[in-house]
Amino acid sequence: MKGFVFHGPGQASWQDVADPGIKEPTDAIVKVDAVTICGTDLHILKGDVPEVRPGTVLGHEAVGEIVEVGSDVRTVRPGDRVLVSCITSCGRCRFCRESSYGQCRGGGGWILGHLVDGTQAEYVRVPYADLSVHPLPAAVRSEDAVLLADIFPTSYEVGVLNGHVRPGDTVAIVGAGPIGLAAIATARMFSPERIIAVDLARARLEAAHRLGADAIADVHEDPGQLVADLTDGLGADVAIEAVGVPESFELCTRMVRPGGRVANVGVHGRPATLHLEDLWIKNVTITTGLVDTYSTPTLLRMAAAGRLPTGQLVTHTFPLDHMEEAYDVFSKAAETGALKVVLGGEQHAEVAVPAA
């Protein structure tokens, strides 16, 4: 088969790789239909995730069809259309029993495209399939469902829920890339008074406004002052960091009100300064986290009901074998305007519904 293989910082290619096979009785083999590229994949290519060994197939998000299962798999069978979660769960360790699947100690957690071969290929082996894939409703298109493998549960769990967004809150989201945009969409479910989006790129700020941000601010135009002006000098109740650079984290800590919450979602490759000389007296709560994907079934039901704007985040689509082109477009988002790129996905014929 073909897969997108990491060879070291700055080096990867779409090439022939060995077909995956069943290694454990809990495995499933999925024929990949649609995948996407995550900002974390770009961090890997930069060398920010040293655990990823050269020779690893990248990717941790996919939709596809089960083609083979191990003898212990009970909840899916060949022919089933499934969402492959970015997080694998053994279901038995202490963390999995607490629904903290991202911290799995039984061979799961974030392993696809990280510690084992991932989803950016024609086929993928999914360990612990009973708990790590989700059967898909027919109403959800593959191109939409693939966004529920990572960015929507990540934004919802690590940003919105960890940040305890509540009705009437002012929520400042630093970073209007895919994660930040998904945070806007899911924060709106809790009826905050206002959502303020901060970014460098005008196109992304405009996308944030379309998805429900009440105010937008260029990072170079003193967004902290805008937050202060809109809150009578108090600051944001919740500041969500959705970039993964020191400057964005430090901006969040400056914008949050006393007693507020900073929810860090971004993947950081460099240290950030924690200004405790300013924060110690402010009763600020700071949370970090890797997504657990416990919310995926809920988000799938919402997507099937048309309650999540997944399709609005997809700006570019490619055939599966155009992986290198898709990476180039996604990595140059400031030039291309890319939000999410999707590779593969089925074509849907229009079905006429007779008049009653």
Side-chain angles (χ1 to χ4, degrees), residues 1-5 13-21 28-36 56-68 80 82 84 117-126 318-323 343-345:
M1 71 169 187
K2 297 283 190 179
F4 191 66
V5 179
S13 62
W14 179 255
Q15 65 183 66
D16 289 324
V17 293
D19 292 342
I29 305 299
V30 176
K31 182 179 185 297
V32 172
D33 174 51
V35 298
T36 184
T56 301
V57 175
L58 296 184
H60 50 268
E61 307 154 274
V63 169
E65 179 184 327
I66 300 284
V67 295
E68 186 180 358
D80 285 351
V82 296
V84 178
D117 285 339
T119 59
Q120 290 170 4
E122 294 175 314
Y123 293 86
V124 60
R125 179 182 72 93
V126 182
F318 300 88
L320 187 62
D321 59 358
H322 286 217
M323 194 69 67
L343 298 98

Short mmCIF file of all heavy atoms in Angstrom, two decimals, residues 1-5 13-21 28-36 56-68 80 82 84 117-126 318-323 343-345:
data_model
loop_
_atom_site.label_atom_id
_atom_site.label_comp_id
_atom_site.label_asym_id
_atom_site.label_seq_id
_atom_site.Cartn_x
_atom_site.Cartn_y
_atom_site.Cartn_z
N MET A 1 0.86 -1.19 0.00
CA MET A 1 0.00 0.00 0.00
C MET A 1 0.89 1.24 0.00
O MET A 1 2.11 1.16 0.13
CB MET A 1 -0.91 0.01 1.22
CG MET A 1 -0.20 0.27 2.54
SD MET A 1 -1.31 0.60 3.92
CE MET A 1 -0.15 1.08 5.19
N LYS A 2 0.25 2.40 -0.09
CA LYS A 2 0.94 3.67 0.01
C LYS A 2 0.65 4.31 1.37
O LYS A 2 -0.45 4.18 1.92
CB LYS A 2 0.48 4.62 -1.09
CG LYS A 2 0.79 4.17 -2.51
CD LYS A 2 2.25 4.38 -2.86
CE LYS A 2 2.47 4.14 -4.36
NZ LYS A 2 3.87 4.37 -4.74
N GLY A 3 1.65 5.05 1.87
CA GLY A 3 1.47 5.78 3.11
C GLY A 3 2.39 6.99 3.14
O GLY A 3 3.38 7.05 2.40
N PHE A 4 2.06 7.95 4.02
CA PHE A 4 2.88 9.17 4.15
C PHE A 4 3.85 8.96 5.30
O PHE A 4 3.46 8.94 6.47
CB PHE A 4 1.99 10.38 4.38
CG PHE A 4 2.73 11.69 4.26
CD1 PHE A 4 3.25 12.10 3.04
CD2 PHE A 4 2.92 12.51 5.36
CE1 PHE A 4 3.94 13.30 2.91
CE2 PHE A 4 3.59 13.72 5.25
CZ PHE A 4 4.11 14.11 4.02
N VAL A 5 5.12 8.80 4.97
CA VAL A 5 6.13 8.33 5.92
C VAL A 5 7.04 9.47 6.35
O VAL A 5 7.59 10.21 5.52
CB VAL A 5 6.96 7.19 5.30
CG1 VAL A 5 8.02 6.70 6.28
CG2 VAL A 5 6.05 6.03 4.88
N SER A 13 7.43 11.54 2.85
CA SER A 13 7.04 11.26 1.47
C SER A 13 5.90 10.24 1.43
O SER A 13 5.74 9.42 2.33
CB SER A 13 8.25 10.73 0.68
OG SER A 13 8.73 9.51 1.23
N TRP A 14 5.12 10.33 0.35
CA TRP A 14 4.06 9.36 0.04
C TRP A 14 4.73 8.23 -0.74
O TRP A 14 5.25 8.43 -1.83
CB TRP A 14 2.98 10.05 -0.77
CG TRP A 14 1.84 9.19 -1.20
CD1 TRP A 14 1.62 8.70 -2.45
CD2 TRP A 14 0.74 8.76 -0.40
NE1 TRP A 14 0.44 7.97 -2.48
CE2 TRP A 14 -0.12 7.99 -1.23
CE3 TRP A 14 0.39 8.93 0.94
CZ2 TRP A 14 -1.30 7.40 -0.77
CZ3 TRP A 14 -0.78 8.35 1.40
CH2 TRP A 14 -1.60 7.60 0.56
N GLN A 15 4.75 7.02 -0.16
CA GLN A 15 5.58 5.96 -0.72
C GLN A 15 4.99 4.59 -0.41
O GLN A 15 4.04 4.46 0.36
CB GLN A 15 6.99 6.04 -0.14
CG GLN A 15 7.03 5.78 1.37
CD GLN A 15 8.41 5.94 1.95
OE1 GLN A 15 8.95 7.02 1.98
NE2 GLN A 15 8.98 4.83 2.42
N ASP A 16 5.58 3.57 -1.01
CA ASP A 16 5.18 2.20 -0.71
C ASP A 16 5.59 1.83 0.70
O ASP A 16 6.72 2.10 1.14
CB ASP A 16 5.86 1.23 -1.69
CG ASP A 16 5.29 1.34 -3.10
OD1 ASP A 16 4.08 1.56 -3.23
OD2 ASP A 16 6.08 1.20 -4.06
N VAL A 17 4.65 1.21 1.43
CA VAL A 17 4.93 0.67 2.77
C VAL A 17 4.24 -0.68 2.88
O VAL A 17 3.35 -1.01 2.09
CB VAL A 17 4.43 1.62 3.89
CG1 VAL A 17 5.23 2.90 3.92
CG2 VAL A 17 2.96 1.93 3.74
N ALA A 18 4.63 -1.45 3.86
CA ALA A 18 4.03 -2.78 4.05
C ALA A 18 2.56 -2.65 4.46
O ALA A 18 2.19 -1.77 5.23
CB ALA A 18 4.81 -3.53 5.11
N ASP A 19 1.75 -3.57 3.92
CA ASP A 19 0.35 -3.61 4.33
C ASP A 19 0.27 -3.95 5.82
O ASP A 19 1.02 -4.79 6.31
CB ASP A 19 -0.42 -4.68 3.55
CG ASP A 19 -0.57 -4.34 2.08
OD1 ASP A 19 -0.39 -3.16 1.74
OD2 ASP A 19 -0.88 -5.25 1.30
N PRO A 20 -0.65 -3.30 6.56
CA PRO A 20 -0.81 -3.66 7.97
C PRO A 20 -1.53 -5.00 8.10
O PRO A 20 -2.33 -5.38 7.24
CB PRO A 20 -1.66 -2.52 8.53
CG PRO A 20 -2.48 -2.06 7.36
CD PRO A 20 -1.59 -2.23 6.15
N GLY A 21 -1.25 -5.70 9.18
CA GLY A 21 -1.93 -6.96 9.46
C GLY A 21 -2.36 -7.01 10.91
O GLY A 21 -1.93 -6.19 11.74
N ALA A 28 -8.17 -4.08 14.57
CA ALA A 28 -8.96 -4.04 13.34
C ALA A 28 -8.12 -3.39 12.25
O ALA A 28 -7.29 -2.52 12.52
CB ALA A 28 -10.26 -3.26 13.55
N ILE A 29 -8.36 -3.81 11.02
CA ILE A 29 -7.74 -3.17 9.86
C ILE A 29 -8.82 -2.34 9.17
O ILE A 29 -9.92 -2.85 8.88
CB ILE A 29 -7.15 -4.19 8.88
CG1 ILE A 29 -6.17 -5.12 9.59
CG2 ILE A 29 -6.48 -3.46 7.72
CD1 ILE A 29 -4.98 -4.44 10.22
N VAL A 30 -8.52 -1.08 8.93
CA VAL A 30 -9.48 -0.15 8.32
C VAL A 30 -8.95 0.29 6.97
O VAL A 30 -7.79 0.73 6.86
CB VAL A 30 -9.72 1.08 9.23
CG1 VAL A 30 -10.64 2.09 8.54
CG2 VAL A 30 -10.31 0.65 10.58
N LYS A 31 -9.78 0.18 5.95
CA LYS A 31 -9.49 0.75 4.63
C LYS A 31 -9.85 2.22 4.69
O LYS A 31 -10.99 2.58 4.92
CB LYS A 31 -10.28 0.06 3.53
CG LYS A 31 -9.98 0.57 2.12
CD LYS A 31 -10.81 -0.19 1.08
CE LYS A 31 -10.41 0.23 -0.34
NZ LYS A 31 -10.69 1.67 -0.59
N VAL A 32 -8.87 3.09 4.53
CA VAL A 32 -9.05 4.52 4.75
C VAL A 32 -9.84 5.14 3.60
O VAL A 32 -9.52 4.94 2.43
CB VAL A 32 -7.68 5.21 4.92
CG1 VAL A 32 -7.85 6.73 4.96
CG2 VAL A 32 -6.99 4.71 6.18
N ASP A 33 -10.86 5.90 3.97
CA ASP A 33 -11.67 6.62 2.99
C ASP A 33 -11.33 8.11 3.00
O ASP A 33 -11.21 8.73 1.95
CB ASP A 33 -13.15 6.42 3.29
CG ASP A 33 -14.05 7.26 2.40
OD1 ASP A 33 -13.86 7.22 1.17
OD2 ASP A 33 -14.92 7.97 2.93
N ALA A 34 -11.20 8.70 4.18
CA ALA A 34 -10.91 10.13 4.30
C ALA A 34 -9.99 10.36 5.48
O ALA A 34 -10.13 9.73 6.53
CB ALA A 34 -12.20 10.94 4.47
N VAL A 35 -9.03 11.26 5.29
CA VAL A 35 -8.13 11.66 6.37
C VAL A 35 -8.00 13.18 6.32
O VAL A 35 -8.37 13.83 5.35
CB VAL A 35 -6.73 11.02 6.25
CG1 VAL A 35 -6.82 9.53 6.35
CG2 VAL A 35 -6.04 11.44 4.96
N THR A 36 -7.43 13.71 7.38
CA THR A 36 -7.10 15.13 7.41
C THR A 36 -5.71 15.29 8.01
O THR A 36 -5.11 14.32 8.50
CB THR A 36 -8.15 15.94 8.18
OG1 THR A 36 -7.84 17.34 8.10
CG2 THR A 36 -8.22 15.54 9.64
N THR A 56 7.92 6.10 10.42
CA THR A 56 6.54 6.02 10.91
C THR A 56 5.58 6.65 9.91
O THR A 56 5.83 7.75 9.41
CB THR A 56 6.42 6.74 12.26
OG1 THR A 56 7.30 6.14 13.21
CG2 THR A 56 4.99 6.68 12.79
N VAL A 57 4.47 5.97 9.63
CA VAL A 57 3.40 6.57 8.85
C VAL A 57 2.66 7.56 9.73
O VAL A 57 2.25 7.23 10.85
CB VAL A 57 2.41 5.49 8.34
CG1 VAL A 57 1.23 6.14 7.62
CG2 VAL A 57 3.12 4.52 7.41
N LEU A 58 2.50 8.79 9.27
CA LEU A 58 1.89 9.83 10.07
C LEU A 58 0.35 9.76 10.02
O LEU A 58 -0.23 9.01 9.25
CB LEU A 58 2.35 11.21 9.60
CG LEU A 58 3.85 11.50 9.76
CD1 LEU A 58 4.16 12.93 9.33
CD2 LEU A 58 4.30 11.26 11.19
N GLY A 59 -0.28 10.58 10.85
CA GLY A 59 -1.72 10.73 10.83
C GLY A 59 -2.42 10.02 11.98
O GLY A 59 -2.05 8.90 12.35
N HIS A 60 -3.43 10.68 12.55
CA HIS A 60 -4.17 10.09 13.66
C HIS A 60 -5.67 10.34 13.56
O HIS A 60 -6.38 10.23 14.56
CB HIS A 60 -3.63 10.62 14.99
CG HIS A 60 -3.51 12.12 15.06
ND1 HIS A 60 -2.36 12.77 14.72
CD2 HIS A 60 -4.40 13.07 15.40
CE1 HIS A 60 -2.53 14.08 14.86
NE2 HIS A 60 -3.78 14.29 15.27
N GLU A 61 -6.15 10.68 12.36
CA GLU A 61 -7.58 10.95 12.14
C GLU A 61 -8.00 10.29 10.84
O GLU A 61 -7.32 10.46 9.83
CB GLU A 61 -7.82 12.46 12.03
CG GLU A 61 -7.27 13.27 13.18
CD GLU A 61 -6.96 14.70 12.78
OE1 GLU A 61 -5.84 14.93 12.28
OE2 GLU A 61 -7.83 15.55 12.94
N ALA A 62 -9.11 9.55 10.86
CA ALA A 62 -9.55 8.91 9.62
C ALA A 62 -10.99 8.46 9.72
O ALA A 62 -11.52 8.24 10.82
CB ALA A 62 -8.66 7.72 9.26
N VAL A 63 -11.60 8.31 8.56
CA VAL A 63 -12.86 7.61 8.39
C VAL A 63 -12.61 6.51 7.38
O VAL A 63 -11.88 6.71 6.40
CB VAL A 63 -13.97 8.56 7.88
CG1 VAL A 63 -15.21 7.79 7.45
CG2 VAL A 63 -14.33 9.56 8.97
N GLY A 64 -13.18 5.34 7.61
CA GLY A 64 -12.96 4.26 6.66
C GLY A 64 -13.87 3.09 6.91
O GLY A 64 -14.84 3.17 7.67
N GLU A 65 -13.53 1.97 6.27
CA GLU A 65 -14.35 0.76 6.34
C GLU A 65 -13.55 -0.37 6.97
O GLU A 65 -12.40 -0.62 6.59
CB GLU A 65 -14.80 0.36 4.94
CG GLU A 65 -15.64 -0.91 4.90
CD GLU A 65 -15.99 -1.33 3.49
OE1 GLU A 65 -16.17 -0.44 2.64
OE2 GLU A 65 -16.07 -2.55 3.23
N ILE A 66 -14.13 -1.04 7.92
CA ILE A 66 -13.50 -2.21 8.53
C ILE A 66 -13.36 -3.30 7.47
O ILE A 66 -14.34 -3.67 6.82
CB ILE A 66 -14.32 -2.73 9.72
CG1 ILE A 66 -14.47 -1.66 10.82
CG2 ILE A 66 -13.70 -4.02 10.27
CD1 ILE A 66 -13.26 -1.43 11.66
N VAL A 67 -12.14 -3.82 7.30
CA VAL A 67 -11.95 -4.91 6.35
C VAL A 67 -11.52 -6.21 7.04
O VAL A 67 -11.65 -7.29 6.46
CB VAL A 67 -10.92 -4.53 5.25
CG1 VAL A 67 -11.46 -3.40 4.40
CG2 VAL A 67 -9.57 -4.16 5.85
N GLU A 68 -11.03 -6.11 8.27
CA GLU A 68 -10.61 -7.31 9.00
C GLU A 68 -10.59 -6.99 10.48
O GLU A 68 -10.27 -5.86 10.88
CB GLU A 68 -9.21 -7.75 8.54
CG GLU A 68 -8.75 -9.07 9.12
CD GLU A 68 -7.37 -9.48 8.63
OE1 GLU A 68 -6.78 -8.74 7.80
OE2 GLU A 68 -6.87 -10.52 9.08
N ASP A 80 -18.33 -2.44 8.15
CA ASP A 80 -18.81 -1.30 8.92
C ASP A 80 -18.01 -0.05 8.58
O ASP A 80 -16.79 -0.09 8.44
CB ASP A 80 -18.67 -1.56 10.43
CG ASP A 80 -19.71 -2.53 10.96
OD1 ASP A 80 -20.65 -2.87 10.21
OD2 ASP A 80 -19.58 -2.95 12.13
N VAL A 82 -16.61 3.44 9.85
CA VAL A 82 -16.25 3.88 11.19
C VAL A 82 -15.42 5.15 11.16
O VAL A 82 -14.76 5.47 10.17
CB VAL A 82 -15.46 2.78 11.95
CG1 VAL A 82 -16.31 1.54 12.16
CG2 VAL A 82 -14.15 2.44 11.24
N VAL A 84 -12.17 6.61 12.99
CA VAL A 84 -11.00 6.20 13.76
C VAL A 84 -10.61 7.35 14.67
O VAL A 84 -10.26 8.44 14.21
CB VAL A 84 -9.82 5.83 12.84
CG1 VAL A 84 -8.60 5.44 13.66
CG2 VAL A 84 -10.22 4.69 11.90
N ASP A 117 2.35 3.16 13.34
CA ASP A 117 1.93 3.71 12.06
C ASP A 117 0.51 4.25 12.13
O ASP A 117 -0.38 3.66 12.75
CB ASP A 117 2.01 2.64 10.97
CG ASP A 117 3.44 2.35 10.54
OD1 ASP A 117 4.31 3.21 10.76
OD2 ASP A 117 3.68 1.26 9.99
N GLY A 118 0.32 5.40 11.45
CA GLY A 118 -0.94 6.12 11.57
C GLY A 118 -1.84 5.98 10.35
O GLY A 118 -1.74 5.05 9.54
N THR A 119 -2.72 6.96 10.21
CA THR A 119 -3.87 6.87 9.31
C THR A 119 -3.65 7.46 7.93
O THR A 119 -4.51 7.29 7.06
CB THR A 119 -5.06 7.61 9.95
OG1 THR A 119 -4.69 8.98 10.17
CG2 THR A 119 -5.48 6.98 11.26
N GLN A 120 -2.56 8.16 7.71
CA GLN A 120 -2.35 8.80 6.40
C GLN A 120 -1.78 7.77 5.43
O GLN A 120 -0.63 7.83 4.99
CB GLN A 120 -1.46 10.03 6.55
CG GLN A 120 -2.18 11.16 7.26
CD GLN A 120 -1.30 12.31 7.65
OE1 GLN A 120 -0.11 12.34 7.32
NE2 GLN A 120 -1.86 13.29 8.34
N ALA A 121 -2.63 6.81 5.11
CA ALA A 121 -2.25 5.67 4.29
C ALA A 121 -3.52 5.06 3.72
O ALA A 121 -4.64 5.48 4.03
CB ALA A 121 -1.49 4.64 5.12
N GLU A 122 -3.34 4.05 2.88
CA GLU A 122 -4.52 3.40 2.28
C GLU A 122 -5.20 2.45 3.26
O GLU A 122 -6.41 2.21 3.16
CB GLU A 122 -4.10 2.67 1.01
CG GLU A 122 -3.64 3.63 -0.08
CD GLU A 122 -3.10 2.94 -1.30
OE1 GLU A 122 -2.30 1.98 -1.15
OE2 GLU A 122 -3.48 3.33 -2.42
N TYR A 123 -4.44 1.92 4.21
CA TYR A 123 -4.99 1.05 5.26
C TYR A 123 -4.30 1.38 6.57
O TYR A 123 -3.14 1.83 6.58
CB TYR A 123 -4.78 -0.44 4.93
CG TYR A 123 -5.54 -0.93 3.73
CD1 TYR A 123 -5.01 -0.80 2.45
CD2 TYR A 123 -6.80 -1.54 3.86
CE1 TYR A 123 -5.71 -1.24 1.33
CE2 TYR A 123 -7.49 -1.99 2.76
CZ TYR A 123 -6.96 -1.84 1.50
OH TYR A 123 -7.65 -2.27 0.40
N VAL A 124 -4.97 1.13 7.69
CA VAL A 124 -4.37 1.37 8.99
C VAL A 124 -4.81 0.28 9.97
O VAL A 124 -5.97 -0.17 9.95
CB VAL A 124 -4.75 2.78 9.54
CG1 VAL A 124 -6.26 2.94 9.69
CG2 VAL A 124 -4.05 3.05 10.88
N ARG A 125 -3.87 -0.15 10.79
CA ARG A 125 -4.19 -1.06 11.89
C ARG A 125 -4.58 -0.25 13.11
O ARG A 125 -3.81 0.63 13.53
CB ARG A 125 -2.99 -1.96 12.22
CG ARG A 125 -3.26 -2.93 13.38
CD ARG A 125 -2.03 -3.76 13.71
NE ARG A 125 -1.00 -2.97 14.37
CZ ARG A 125 -0.87 -2.87 15.71
NH1 ARG A 125 -1.71 -3.48 16.52
NH2 ARG A 125 0.11 -2.13 16.22
N VAL A 126 -5.76 -0.52 13.66
CA VAL A 126 -6.23 0.20 14.84
C VAL A 126 -6.24 -0.76 16.03
O VAL A 126 -7.05 -1.70 16.08
CB VAL A 126 -7.64 0.77 14.63
CG1 VAL A 126 -8.08 1.55 15.86
CG2 VAL A 126 -7.68 1.66 13.39
N PHE A 318 -8.54 16.99 -1.45
CA PHE A 318 -7.57 16.38 -2.35
C PHE A 318 -7.86 14.89 -2.44
O PHE A 318 -8.39 14.29 -1.50
CB PHE A 318 -6.14 16.54 -1.81
CG PHE A 318 -5.69 17.96 -1.61
CD1 PHE A 318 -5.95 18.62 -0.42
CD2 PHE A 318 -5.00 18.63 -2.61
CE1 PHE A 318 -5.52 19.93 -0.22
CE2 PHE A 318 -4.56 19.93 -2.43
CZ PHE A 318 -4.83 20.58 -1.24
N PRO A 319 -7.46 14.24 -3.54
CA PRO A 319 -7.42 12.78 -3.55
C PRO A 319 -6.42 12.30 -2.49
O PRO A 319 -5.48 13.01 -2.13
CB PRO A 319 -6.94 12.43 -4.96
CG PRO A 319 -7.21 13.66 -5.78
CD PRO A 319 -7.05 14.82 -4.83
N LEU A 320 -6.61 11.07 -2.02
CA LEU A 320 -5.77 10.56 -0.95
C LEU A 320 -4.29 10.54 -1.34
O LEU A 320 -3.42 10.79 -0.49
CB LEU A 320 -6.22 9.14 -0.56
CG LEU A 320 -5.55 8.51 0.65
CD1 LEU A 320 -5.81 9.33 1.91
CD2 LEU A 320 -6.04 7.07 0.84
N ASP A 321 -4.00 10.29 -2.61
CA ASP A 321 -2.60 10.17 -3.00
C ASP A 321 -1.93 11.52 -3.28
O ASP A 321 -0.78 11.56 -3.72
CB ASP A 321 -2.45 9.25 -4.21
CG ASP A 321 -3.22 9.72 -5.43
OD1 ASP A 321 -3.91 10.77 -5.34
OD2 ASP A 321 -3.15 9.05 -6.47
N HIS A 322 -2.63 12.63 -3.00
CA HIS A 322 -2.02 13.96 -3.14
C HIS A 322 -1.55 14.49 -1.78
O HIS A 322 -1.67 15.67 -1.48
CB HIS A 322 -3.01 14.93 -3.77
CG HIS A 322 -3.23 14.71 -5.24
ND1 HIS A 322 -3.41 15.74 -6.14
CD2 HIS A 322 -3.28 13.58 -5.98
CE1 HIS A 322 -3.59 15.25 -7.35
NE2 HIS A 322 -3.49 13.93 -7.27
N MET A 323 -1.03 13.59 -0.97
CA MET A 323 -0.67 13.93 0.41
C MET A 323 0.38 15.03 0.48
O MET A 323 0.27 15.98 1.27
CB MET A 323 -0.17 12.68 1.13
CG MET A 323 -0.08 12.82 2.62
SD MET A 323 -1.69 12.95 3.44
CE MET A 323 -2.36 11.30 3.13
N LEU A 343 -8.45 14.76 2.65
CA LEU A 343 -8.04 13.92 1.53
C LEU A 343 -8.95 12.70 1.45
O LEU A 343 -9.22 12.06 2.47
CB LEU A 343 -6.59 13.46 1.70
CG LEU A 343 -5.55 14.58 1.74
CD1 LEU A 343 -5.18 14.94 3.16
CD2 LEU A 343 -4.31 14.18 0.95
N GLY A 344 -9.41 12.40 0.25
CA GLY A 344 -10.33 11.29 0.07
C GLY A 344 -11.76 11.73 0.29
O GLY A 344 -12.13 12.88 0.07
N GLY A 345 -12.61 10.80 0.71
CA GLY A 345 -14.03 11.09 0.92
C GLY A 345 -14.83 10.65 -0.28
O GLY A 345 -14.37 10.71 -1.42
#
